[in-house]
Amino acid sequence: PNDEVLQWMLFLDNPEKEAEEALEKGKREKTNEVIRKLNEMNLTIEQIAKAVELKEEEVKAILNEKK
């Protein structure tokens, strides 16, 4: 089976865990988007970290990732 089928099989086996993981992934993606937008608005790393409640090192790592 391909990856999509395997993911579906895992979901059917444990729907709560899969839904929870999908929600967490969505939250991370949204946080990363907000971090990039705040950076484009010329906020400092310290200000961004406070706004999204992450450590400055985490914000820097996200900004250094490819989009």
Side-chain angles (χ1 to χ4, degrees):
N2 63 27
D3 287 342
E4 199 171 308
V5 172
L6 289 173
Q7 288 296 324
W8 183 245
M9 290 168 65
L10 287 171
F11 174 76
L12 292 175
D13 191 43
N14 194 349
E16 288 99 20
K17 182 180 179 208
E18 291 297 317
E20 198 173 300
E21 288 175 3
L23 183 59
E24 286 301 315
K25 182 181 178 194
K27 286 180 182 178
R28 274 193 310 274
E29 289 172 356
K30 187 63 177 177
T31 298
N32 292 359
E33 181 183 332
V34 169
I35 287 170
R36 288 188 180 92
K37 286 185 180 188
L38 293 174
N39 187 55
E40 289 171 6
M41 295 170 63
N42 295 317
L43 270 70
T44 66
I45 299 295
E46 181 182 4
Q47 291 170 320
I48 296 170
K50 284 182 182 179
V52 296
E53 299 177 339
L54 291 176
K55 295 179 183 177
E56 289 181 36
E57 295 78 25
E58 293 172 300
V59 171
K60 288 177 187 176
I62 290 166
L63 290 172
N64 288 328
E65 290 175 2
K66 292 183 180 178
K67 294 181 183 179

